Amino acid sequence: AVNHIILDLAAVSGLIHDGMVRSPAWRLLDIGRRVERARNIVSLLRSAMGKGTAGGTNVLDRPMMRALLEVIDC
């Protein structure tokens, strides 16, 4: 079910990018996407850093760091 939702969202995103002229409205849409992405990345990093505490320091092992980089890079 999640794969179908992702495909539908990708299709809508493709239509927006393909059919929209590069006007101030497009710029606003792009800024909104970037802000939302940054907000989600910060939330993900906060939750990952909170779970990796050991003795008051944030410790993330290599598999966790690799998974975070994969998710953020997508």
Side-chain angles (χ1 to χ4, degrees), residues 1-63:
V2 172
N3 286 335
H4 290 291
I5 292 172
I6 290 173
L7 286 174
D8 290 343
L9 290 174
V12 170
S13 177
L15 285 173
I16 290 172
H17 280 292
D18 187 42
M20 193 172 200
V21 296
R22 303 299 193 249
S23 66
W26 179 83
R27 184 75 60 202
L28 187 63
L29 180 70
D30 189 49
I31 290 170
R33 272 190 206 175
R34 290 173 189 262
V35 167
E36 184 179 18
R37 179 172 167 77
R39 188 173 152 243
N40 289 335
I41 288 172
V42 167
S43 174
L44 177 67
L45 289 174
R46 277 187 182 161
S47 66
M49 293 292 209
K51 294 183 190 296
T53 58
T57 61
N58 290 328
V59 178
L60 293 175
D61 54 351
R62 281 190 186 270

